[in-house]
Amino acid sequence: MVGPVAIYILGTAGCGKSSLAASFSGYLSEYGYKHMLVNLDPGADLIPYEPDIDVRDWVTLADVMEEYGLGPNGAQIVASDLVALNRDKVLKGIDVDMDQYVLLDTPGQMELFTFRESARELVKGILPSRSFMVYLIDPFNARTPSGLISQMMLSSLARLRFQLPSAEVISKSDMIEPAQMERLTRWLENPDTLHDDSMEEASRTSNMAPELSVNIFRALESLGLFSRVFPVSSQTKEGMEGIYRAVQYVFSGGEDLPQGEPTSDEEE
Ligand SMILES: Nc1nc2c(ncn2[C@@H]2O[C@H](COP(=O)(O)OP(=O)(O)O)[C@@H](O)[C@H]2O)c(=O)[nH]1
Ligand SMILES: [Mg+2]
């Protein structure tokens, strides 16, 4: 590794981003990999780790609401832009000569971060060409074929917006019921079954022609996305090594893998 690698953690509100930042940080510490934690969420209340850089030092949702006389929704938009304006302060806190992972925990409202131009400028300005994205799919949003397809679509939109290499993971794997896990595994390992179940779902529940979900499905499948998805849990640490490997694969051609086995017995 030459210099730092930024790892952005993205996903819809409550999918487990901050928990993953804490848990993956624990994994990196366990193997002695230098890293730092950056909180980019101005609306975060309690976060389960001690950030090395915290945008709340400069912008908080509560202050924006008060100063601009805005409700929480409007304030999210303004705060998101204000965070981006503080990009240089974030950058100042990162030692660009050090080999390290920089974990960036993104705002709760993924839509804002992904679709605001200001957030794109932020990402472009921090370690361009040395950045990676971990997209978390909340298993509660992936119980139906259209749910999973929508999540994969969102992750693809984030990739499109940020133009970053990525890993897509299903979060909170420790909470997934065996029947749902079996279904998810089947869909991801054999997308034909997702196609069939999606057709069935569309014909049963929609007034629209099933072509919509099927065409979206086909676009995602042609990108080879489904087979890459794997489960992670911030509680059991399942999948942490998978994330590490995915990052390594992009930035070091798969070299420099951790020594020994993780202590978690959840690893396959
Ligand atoms: N059981 C379990 N709960 C989790 C996991 N990850 C997150 N959570 C819980 O999900 C909720 C939202 O997590 P958080 O990390 O704050 O999500 P964020 O909004 O995406 O940052 C919290 O109550 C977490 O304790 C996990 O891997 N397993
Ligand atoms: Mg969070």
Side-chain angles (χ1 to χ4, degrees):
M1 198 160 125
V2 186
V5 170
I7 303 175
Y8 290 88
I9 303 173
L10 271 102
T12 51
C15 66
K17 297 179 288 296
S18 301
S19 304
L20 183 78
S23 183
F24 192 57
S25 162
Y27 171 86
L28 292 174
S29 295
E30 200 178 322
Y31 288 96
Y33 292 114
K34 284 202 200 84
H35 64 282
M36 58 189 295
L37 284 152
V38 181
N39 172 45
L40 291 179
D41 186 357
D45 198 2
L46 290 172
I47 42 180
Y49 56 85
E50 190 65 48
D52 299 289
I53 301 174
D54 192 343
V55 293
R56 293 175 305 177
D57 291 346
W58 311 301
V59 187
T60 70
L61 196 61
D63 287 350
V64 171
M65 283 172 73
E66 197 180 308
E67 269 173 45
Y68 293 78
L70 292 166
N73 291 336
Q76 300 261 17
I77 297 173
V78 173
S80 167
D81 289 352
L82 291 176
V83 166
L85 287 174
N86 281 281
R87 178 179 86 181
D88 290 348
K89 290 187 193 154
V90 175
L91 207 46
K92 227 185 208 169
I94 300 172
D95 183 348
V96 292
D97 294 321
M98 191 194 274
D99 284 2
Q100 62 171 336
Y101 298 97
V102 183
L103 309 183
L104 298 109
D105 182 16
T106 64
Q109 306 301 322
M110 176 219 169
E111 312 79 278
L112 278 180
F113 189 73
T114 308
F115 298 119
R116 295 291 295 173
E117 235 13 67
S118 56
R120 210 149 74 128
E121 290 303 316
L122 175 91
V123 172
K124 264 200 248 165
I126 299 174
L127 306 175
S129 78
R130 303 276 302 165
S131 294
F132 189 88
M133 185 180 102
V134 178
Y135 183 88
L136 274 62
I137 296 173
D138 192 321
F140 297 101
N141 293 333
R143 278 185 288 211
T144 58
S146 59
L148 177 62
I149 289 171
S150 304
Q151 284 295 314
M152 295 300 288
M153 187 85 181
L154 267 182
S155 77
S156 301
L157 287 173
R159 287 212 309 171
L160 177 69
R161 290 286 294 166
F162 296 121
Q163 301 280 324
L164 294 180
S166 64
E168 292 76 31
V169 302
I170 299 193
S171 62
K172 309 181 192 179
S173 67
D174 60 290
M175 293 181 76
I176 303 176
E177 299 288 335
Q180 190 195 355
M181 187 55 103
E182 190 264 320
R183 200 163 57 234
L184 277 170
T185 307
R186 180 162 46 82
W187 285 342
L188 295 168
E189 284 179 357
N190 185 359
D192 284 349
T193 63
L194 179 60
H195 170 273
D196 295 347
D197 290 352
S198 169
M199 289 281 278
E200 194 274 327
E201 182 193 21
S203 66
R204 189 165 33 86
T205 59
S206 160
N207 298 325
M208 287 188 295
E211 279 81 49
L212 178 63
S213 56
V214 167
N215 283 332
I216 292 175
F217 165 83
R218 287 213 179 103
L220 294 169
E221 197 199 8
S222 69
L223 294 169
L225 291 185
F226 293 108
S227 61
R228 307 183 349 167
V229 182
F230 57 93
V232 307
S233 165
S234 297
Q235 286 221 335
T236 65
K237 303 231 170 193
E238 180 186 18
M240 295 298 144
E241 188 181 0
I243 295 174
Y244 181 79
R245 280 176 188 272
V247 176
Q248 284 306 115
Y249 186 78
V250 173
F251 295 102
S252 308
E255 299 289 317
D256 184 28
L257 291 172
Q259 302 294 305
E261 292 295 317
T263 49
S264 162
D265 43 62
E266 294 296 320
E267 293 291 323
E268 72 262 57

